[in-house]
Amino acid sequence: MKTSRRFPKSIVSAIRDAKILGIRAGTKPHRIIGIWAVVVAGRVFVRSYSLKPRRWWRTFQEEPRGVIQVDGRQIKVRPVFTRSERLKTVVDRAYREKYNTPGSLIFVKGFRLKKRRDTTTELVPL
């Protein structure tokens, strides 16, 4: 049976409306952490602010499976690493629109740096 590359609309809406998305990368037991996520054309995108080893984005590179937590549900996901510069630009705009408080803007600006833009990752159901 073919798995869908899209989340149900209710999940996408919940991610779009929430400021924080719970995520756990890999299959080893550890806690779920909170990250920022945006929705673009019904697709869920995330970026890593920290590029240090043992962070969620690095874990996804080594083991491309994980879980997101939305509305109290855990949903298995896999990452799709984005290479499209056009799509990265649209994700830049989505972050700027969603996280627009004065305290958030420094991180939004940091997300526009090449090293962080290059972590743009789409999450799809597993």
Side-chain angles (χ1 to χ4, degrees):
M1 182 174 173
K2 183 180 176 185
T3 58
S4 173
R5 282 189 40 95
R6 298 281 175 122
F7 293 104
K9 289 181 181 181
S10 61
I11 298 296
V12 172
S13 294
I15 293 169
R16 183 193 62 233
D17 295 343
K19 291 294 185 183
I20 302 293
L21 175 68
I23 192 166
R24 179 176 59 229
T27 58
K28 295 177 182 162
H30 57 87
R31 67 186 174 94
I32 291 177
I33 62 166
I35 64 171
W36 290 0
V38 294
V39 174
V40 172
R43 297 162 64 187
V44 177
F45 291 91
V46 293
R47 282 187 179 160
S48 180
Y49 201 82
S50 173
L51 303 176
K52 295 178 182 177
R54 299 183 51 162
R55 302 295 188 183
W56 68 265
W57 186 74
R58 298 253 189 217
T59 300
F60 267 148
Q61 289 183 315
E62 297 167 11
E63 187 179 0
R65 323 183 131 225
V67 171
I68 59 171
Q69 189 170 45
V70 181
D71 284 344
R73 294 177 48 196
Q74 289 191 10
I75 302 165
K76 292 180 181 180
V77 295
R78 69 180 179 85
V80 177
F81 301 109
T82 305
R83 294 186 307 211
S84 166
E85 290 301 320
R86 181 198 64 76
L87 188 53
K88 290 176 187 178
T89 299
V90 175
V91 171
D92 285 342
R93 190 175 316 122
Y95 271 108
R96 193 170 49 248
E97 290 171 5
K98 182 174 181 179
Y99 300 98
N100 57 14
T101 64
S104 299
L105 290 178
I106 189 165
F107 297 101
V108 170
K109 289 177 183 175
F111 272 147
R112 292 193 328 238
L113 297 175
K114 181 177 177 8
K115 67 182 182 180
R116 293 189 183 111
R117 285 181 94 230
D118 288 346
T119 70
T120 303
T121 303
E122 181 178 4
L123 298 177
V124 296
L126 186 61

